[in-house]
Amino acid sequence: MLRQLAHHSRAHLGCGPHVFDGWANLDLGGGTGVVSYDLTARLPFGDSTLSRVYTEHFIEHVSRAKGARFLRECARVLAPGGILRVSTPDLRRLAEEYQAGRLDEWSDQGWNPGTPAQMLNEGMRKWGHQFVYDEPELTEAVLQAGFREVRRVDWRESEHHDLRDLEQRSFHGDLIMEAVR
């Protein structure tokens, strides 16, 4: 598998059906153009071999401990100066919607909880979510994994041209961070 992935300098981890040309696309489910791989295991790339790692709505599906391990693996495979871009639901946004009693933020996704309490509980547990991050928690996890210059960025925006317009999900106040290795 390493030979199959060796010619890529960018990895899209937890890609689902969204395959990016010129990227190594990995997901547990596999599919056309996707390498089937368990991202909770050691990543199938050599040390310091990638320039970019992008992951959208994956890290919330593993425990905090497995998320920390995943981030350390991302740091291991990125070359110095490489960039990690992480997009995940924002716990603060979920809590704000709960506190305001708003139930329709995610209706375009087919999610229509009946009460604020259902919305908060489902937002934290539905779809296999195991740990939902807020900005301080994700920042600390990324720094502890060995990254530097961690900052929040806007949806589909980046100072790095190859990291723009990557998000495939519609925007709902997601927490999107970029970090330099």
Side-chain angles (χ1 to χ4, degrees), residues 1-2 5 11 13 26-28 35-50 58 65-66 68-78:
M1 177 185 319
L2 279 174
L5 299 173
L13 305 179
L26 284 73
D27 196 274
L28 189 59
V35 174
S36 180
Y37 197 79
D38 179 357
L39 296 173
T40 63
R42 181 178 171 88
L43 293 177
F45 302 98
D47 295 355
S48 301
T49 56
L50 300 178
F58 165 72
K66 286 183 179 179
R69 185 179 187 290
F70 172 74
L71 293 171
R72 285 192 305 273
E73 277 295 293
C74 290
R76 179 186 66 77
V77 301
L78 279 164

Side-chain angles (χ1 to χ4, degrees), residues 76-96:
R76 179 186 66 77
V77 301
L78 279 164
I83 308 292
L84 168 69
R85 183 177 177 100
V86 178
S87 176
T88 187
D90 187 347
L91 179 60
R92 183 176 307 274
R93 175 65 179 265
L94 187 61
E96 288 169 354

Side-chain angles (χ1 to χ4, degrees), residues 56-62 87-89 128-133:
E56 180 180 16
H57 286 258
F58 165 72
I59 198 166
E60 70 274 11
H61 292 276
V62 297
S87 176
T88 187
H129 289 176
Q130 293 190 31
F131 191 92
V132 180
Y133 294 81

Side-chain angles (χ1 to χ4, degrees), residues 3-170:
R3 198 172 18 216
Q4 178 184 0
L5 299 173
H7 68 281
H8 293 287
S9 66
R10 300 177 296 177
H12 182 195
L13 305 179
C15 65
H18 307 290
V19 174
F20 294 165
D21 288 336
W23 293 65
N25 298 278
L26 284 73
D27 196 274
L28 189 59
T32 303
V34 178
V35 174
S36 180
Y37 197 79
D38 179 357
L39 296 173
T40 63
R42 181 178 171 88
L43 293 177
F45 302 98
D47 295 355
S48 301
T49 56
L50 300 178
S51 64
R52 302 286 190 261
V53 169
Y54 175 64
T55 181
E56 180 180 16
H57 286 258
F58 165 72
I59 198 166
E60 70 274 11
H61 292 276
V62 297
S63 68
R64 173 67 168 80
K66 286 183 179 179
R69 185 179 187 290
F70 172 74
L71 293 171
R72 285 192 305 273
E73 277 295 293
C74 290
R76 179 186 66 77
V77 301
L78 279 164
I83 308 292
L84 168 69
R85 183 177 177 100
V86 178
S87 176
T88 187
D90 187 347
L91 179 60
R92 183 176 307 274
R93 175 65 179 265
L94 187 61
E96 288 169 354
E97 296 300 305
Y98 165 77
Q99 288 179 323
R102 291 188 293 261
L103 302 176
D104 61 350
E105 171 62 29
W106 294 273
S107 61
D108 68 319
Q109 301 294 308
W111 181 33
N112 298 294
T115 67
Q118 290 172 16
M119 187 262 308
L120 186 61
N121 279 280
E122 290 173 7
M124 297 195 41
R125 295 181 182 91
K126 199 170 179 159
W127 309 288
H129 289 176
Q130 293 190 31
F131 191 92
V132 180
Y133 294 81
D134 62 8
E135 185 174 346
E137 186 77 20
L138 186 56
T139 298
E140 184 62 25
V142 169
L143 289 171
Q144 286 180 356
F147 289 90
R148 57 186 175 85
E149 298 179 35
V150 181
R151 67 185 184 96
R152 188 168 189 156
V153 295
D154 291 331
W155 184 73
R156 294 188 172 170
E157 296 292 331
S158 178
E159 65 183 48
H160 310 282
H161 69 88
D162 60 343
L163 294 176
R164 294 181 192 139
D165 298 316
L166 295 181
E167 282 77 27
Q168 300 298 302
R169 294 170 172 262
S170 57

